[in-house]
Amino acid sequence: MSADQGAGGAGGAGGAGGAAETTGAGAGAATAGRKGLVVVYTGHGKGKTTAALGMVFRALGRGMRVAVVQFIKGKWKTGERLFAETLPGLTFLVMGRGFTWESDDLSRDKAAARAAFQEAAALIAGGEQDIVVLDEITYALHYGFVAEEELLAALRARPAHVHVVITGRNAPDALIALADLVTEMKSVKHPFEQGMKAQIGVDF
């Protein structure tokens, strides 16, 4: 899969929501007849969280209720986190402690990941959110903080209208098989390779 396919896929996600658009927008957007999708943004290229947040912005514009649970980003206030604090209709939970490979206490990382997953699972099962984003949860899967089958079970048992968006590298095969839409981000060129630091408003 290529990044170009991902661009089409993002549009496809919007297209898949076309039927929902005909039911009416605004606060408490109708859920009748809508099939909730599992969307996965994975791969080693930049843009996974950015793609998910684009879907968040689109859904909020339609009056949908959205929740974002961030499993990694917790040590710094990103631009999206600052903006999220001003938006009605958006539940934005930053529950991570930073990148695990920089950690000085894996037990605390595991506890944070477990707490994040319990919160995410409750949001998914509750059915009050139209879209639930699990940002960078694949890292929690990779380190064994969250069992793969736990996530799959939560996805299978979710209310029929709930969309779930998952981001992070190395999405497991079983998750890819379950998902309705999978985009793999491929890195072709990155400014970091030229020694450039992360840029405000572009990277965070």
Side-chain angles (χ1 to χ4, degrees):
M1 289 175 287
S2 69
D4 288 336
Q5 288 175 316
E21 292 172 11
T22 63
T23 66
T31 60
R34 188 176 81 210
K35 179 190 183 301
L37 303 177
V38 175
V39 178
V40 176
Y41 294 115
T42 191
H44 290 266
K46 175 178 167 55
K48 297 177 286 293
T49 296
T50 304
L53 292 175
M55 191 179 296
V56 167
F57 185 63
R58 175 182 289 168
L60 291 172
R62 291 291 186 179
M64 298 170 77
R65 292 159 298 190
V66 182
V68 177
V69 181
Q70 293 198 316
F71 282 75
I72 295 294
K73 300 180 180 75
K75 288 187 175 180
W76 60 93
K77 280 207 169 186
T78 60
E80 58 266 28
R81 180 177 174 181
L82 292 169
F83 187 47
E85 293 172 353
T86 72
L87 296 177
L90 176 59
T91 300
F92 200 95
L93 304 176
V94 181
M95 304 189 72
R97 298 185 59 250
F99 290 103
T100 301
W101 53 87
E102 297 176 349
S103 176
D104 56 359
D105 190 341
L106 288 179
S107 65
R108 290 179 62 192
D109 291 339
K110 182 175 182 178
R114 294 298 311 164
F117 180 73
Q118 294 302 321
E119 187 71 34
L123 287 166
I124 293 169
E128 295 181 0
Q129 306 296 325
D130 297 295
I131 297 179
V132 180
V133 178
L134 310 183
D135 186 39
E136 295 180 325
I137 190 176
T138 60
Y139 294 102
L141 297 177
H142 178 74
Y143 282 94
F145 297 161
V146 175
E148 183 178 315
E149 187 51 44
E150 281 186 291
L151 173 59
L152 297 177
L155 295 176
R156 293 189 189 104
R158 75 191 190 281
H161 67 278
V162 175
H163 303 296
V164 180
V165 183
I166 292 170
T167 74
R169 297 185 179 191
N170 303 313
D173 292 341
L175 175 58
I176 290 174
L178 178 67
D180 299 286
L181 188 159
V182 180
T183 296
E184 183 178 14
M185 305 294 189
K186 178 183 177 182
S187 181
V188 177
K189 182 185 288 188
H190 197 293
F192 182 77
E193 297 165 355
Q194 282 74 52
M196 300 182 193
K197 295 182 179 179
Q199 302 294 306
I200 292 177
V202 175
D203 296 294
F204 63 96

